[in-house]
Amino acid sequence: ITTNYDKVLDETTPKGIEVFSNDNPFQQVQSIKGKPFLYKIHGDITNPNTCILFKSDYEDLYKGDKSNTQTLRNFLLNKTLLFLGFSLDDPFITAQIEYLYGLYSDYGNKHFIVLTSQKDLSKYHVKTIPVENWNEGFDNFLNELIEVKKNAKKTVKSSDTVEEVDINTIEDISVLESI
């Protein structure tokens, strides 16, 4: 999910990954079902009518039972999100997080944010992953993520049985932590 209007991420998105904007409820449903995607929630410069620029645009995008609001809520509730280059200072996004965690009594997924400073975002159920700087620190962080992805299948010993587990399919963070 990106709030950027530009085409930078479009150019680097792997082949076969659908790129769509906030005016495409069909692709929103496909992304909820698990199809890989790049969701431009605040619009796309190639279609200026979709770009969220003014406070009234934000209010319109996030109010009521619109597909964008429900898609974002679905991701926040059912997926673990890693926020990169996003400060969580956006009151419309944080309002969605607060709404969900109030509604579901803190049972939703935890999320993560990469920042160059420690910031307490626990009220949004977001854990800060500090990097010393964006040059070396972020590269090291990305290399660690790549290693985790490469080693996605781990052998887990439980009692007397050994089984292969694909950690990409595990949604409960406590299970991952125990592995």
Side-chain angles (χ1 to χ4, degrees):
I1 303 170
T2 182
T3 57
N4 297 343
Y5 318 111
D6 59 46
K7 304 299 275 177
V8 173
L9 290 175
D10 301 37
E11 303 298 324
T12 60
T13 301
K15 203 173 231 176
I17 303 292
E18 193 68 38
V19 177
F20 61 95
S21 186
N22 56 22
D23 65 340
N24 194 329
F26 172 76
Q27 288 300 339
Q28 291 170 14
V29 168
Q30 297 307 305
S31 66
I32 290 169
K33 291 179 179 178
K35 183 179 177 192
F37 64 91
L38 173 60
Y39 178 22
K40 299 177 102 174
I41 195 168
H42 288 167
D44 189 329
I45 195 68
T46 59
N47 185 356
N49 291 334
T50 65
C51 292
I52 306 302
L53 301 172
F54 304 106
K55 184 177 180 185
S56 60
D57 294 334
Y58 282 92
E59 289 169 348
D60 188 49
L61 182 70
Y62 291 111
K63 75 175 179 189
D65 283 335
K66 296 191 173 188
S67 64
N68 290 296
T69 306
Q70 295 308 321
T71 301
L72 178 61
R73 286 178 178 174
N74 186 291
F75 293 144
L76 289 166
L77 191 61
N78 297 305
K79 309 231 183 256
T80 298
L81 301 182
L82 173 64
F83 294 95
L84 297 171
F86 191 77
S87 65
L88 278 180
D89 289 334
D90 183 323
F92 297 98
I93 300 289
T94 55
Q96 299 306 314
I97 296 170
E98 288 175 333
Y99 169 79
L100 288 171
Y101 285 99
L103 186 64
Y104 292 103
S105 303
D106 299 336
Y107 290 111
N109 283 355
K110 301 253 186 274
H111 305 294
F112 301 88
I113 187 168
V114 176
L115 297 172
T116 56
S117 62
Q118 187 66 26
K119 188 174 181 182
D120 182 12
L121 296 167
S122 58
K123 71 178 180 178
Y124 303 122
H125 300 268
V126 176
K127 180 180 179 188
T128 301
I129 300 170
V131 295
E132 288 185 28
N133 61 60
W134 286 110
N135 295 328
E136 292 173 23
F138 188 65
D139 286 347
N140 292 337
F141 171 72
L142 288 178
N143 288 334
E144 287 180 38
L145 283 180
I146 290 168
E147 284 303 311
V148 167
K149 188 69 174 172
K150 282 181 183 176
N151 299 316
K153 286 197 175 199
K154 296 288 181 188
T155 302
V156 179
K157 185 164 183 172
S158 161
S159 319
D160 294 332
T161 63
V162 175
E163 60 182 282
E164 286 284 314
V165 177
D166 182 354
I167 65 171
N168 291 318
T169 62
I170 299 173
E171 295 182 9
D172 184 349
I173 192 75
S174 62
V175 172
L176 289 175
E177 288 171 342
S178 70
I179 292 174

